Amino acid sequence: MYLLDLGRLNKALGMVSALGAGMSAVVGHGPSPPKQFRFVERDLIALFEHCAFLREIGGMIEAPMVVQMVKDFEDVLRQGEIKDGFVYWGEYDCALLWHRPGAVANAFRAGLSGHISLILAPNKVGLFVQDEPIFGSDVFEKFGPAREDVEEAGKCLALDRGTAAVFHLMRALEVAVRMIAEKLGATVQDEHGRYLGWGLIANNMRSKIDAMTPGSDEQIRWYRVQQDLVAVNRAWRVPTNHPKETYTPDQAREVFDSTKAFMKELSLLV
């Protein structure tokens, strides 16, 4: 699978087509290329950048013809003479350029044939292409082992895979549960070194909290967290592990937002 920015692809192909349209306009859209053609130098620089992008996409979609057509187009572009902010091509190069823009576009049509595209709405792009930690920097830094599941939960949510998103969220929360329980000094593993279940870990935290100064802010805060862990385990984790339990995208979004807020709160305890 690969990510394709359709807006950028459209802009790149549009720039290629603009050169072809400019050449056609010079000859009144006649059947033959112009004797001479000029192009703004700064636009040519931008065109080369677009061509590099088109070659990259051609490689990603495994379309060697696209890559070759773009390279041929670039080779002819380089033959131009730069003068006074413009690039000039003579009769011979104009003849070579004449069909190149159309060839590039046709190669892309052929190269994309047979591919299936999944288009994400703008409000979901940030969940799939995560430029920043989607649960915030504190959760990212303090719950390192949960990073992959948090990231995957976001991707699943972006693709409307609600049940898969919740599974990843529960895995991420389990990491947080173990880490804060260890911080508290509660037992999180059995005698064989295997991690205990979420419910057992939450129960083991209770005695450690009971031993704190009665009525202290610390004890009250930890009691609330422990009770929340028990509630979350019953409400989400146990049902999620049931083979017939599923979540719609909207339900998964609610779990996602709640998990985000809860893990942010838990990050303050680590």
Side-chain angles (χ1 to χ4, degrees), residues 13 16 51 54-55 58 63-78 96-97 99-111:
L13 291 174
V16 172
C51 284
L54 293 176
R55 281 190 281 105
M65 184 59 70
V66 168
V67 177
Q68 189 59 54
M69 286 297 176
V70 176
K71 285 183 177 179
D72 292 345
F73 181 53
E74 291 175 296
D75 288 342
V76 181
L77 290 178
R78 294 189 181 94
L96 293 177
L97 274 176
H99 296 294
R100 290 287 190 267
V104 170
N106 288 334
F108 255 100
R109 292 190 190 98

Side-chain angles (χ1 to χ4, degrees), residues 252-269:
R253 182 75 214 204
E254 292 179 4
V255 177
F256 180 89
D257 291 339
S258 297
T259 301
K260 179 179 180 179
F262 193 32
M263 289 190 72
K264 280 188 173 184
E265 180 181 359
L266 295 180
S267 70
L268 301 177
L269 302 175

Side-chain angles (χ1 to χ4, degrees), residues 52-152:
F53 172 70
L54 293 176
R55 281 190 281 105
E56 178 186 354
I57 297 303
M60 289 169 55
I61 64 176
E62 300 180 2
M65 184 59 70
V66 168
V67 177
Q68 189 59 54
M69 286 297 176
V70 176
K71 285 183 177 179
D72 292 345
F73 181 53
E74 291 175 296
D75 288 342
V76 181
L77 290 178
R78 294 189 181 94
Q79 303 307 311
E81 179 184 356
I82 299 176
K83 185 173 64 175
D84 299 328
F86 289 92
V87 184
Y88 293 84
W89 292 277
E91 184 175 359
Y92 176 74
D93 291 326
C94 282
L96 293 177
L97 274 176
W98 186 240
H99 296 294
R100 290 287 190 267
V104 170
N106 288 334
F108 255 100
R109 292 190 190 98
L112 289 172
S113 178
H115 288 69
I116 295 177
S117 300
L118 299 176
I119 300 177
L120 293 179
N123 66 327
K124 294 184 177 180
V125 171
L127 289 170
F128 198 87
V129 183
Q130 300 168 17
D131 295 327
E132 298 178 354
I134 57 176
F135 276 11
S137 57
D138 285 343
V139 173
F140 183 84
E141 294 297 333
K142 294 184 178 181
F143 298 126
R147 291 174 187 172
E148 182 178 353
D149 280 304
V150 171
E151 180 179 341
E152 289 300 315

Side-chain angles (χ1 to χ4, degrees), residues 151-171:
E151 180 179 341
E152 289 300 315
K155 291 180 182 294
C156 290
L157 194 61
L159 297 174
D160 287 342
R161 315 308 295 172
T163 303
V166 175
F167 265 104
H168 282 294
L169 291 169
M170 294 304 101
R171 282 166 54 95

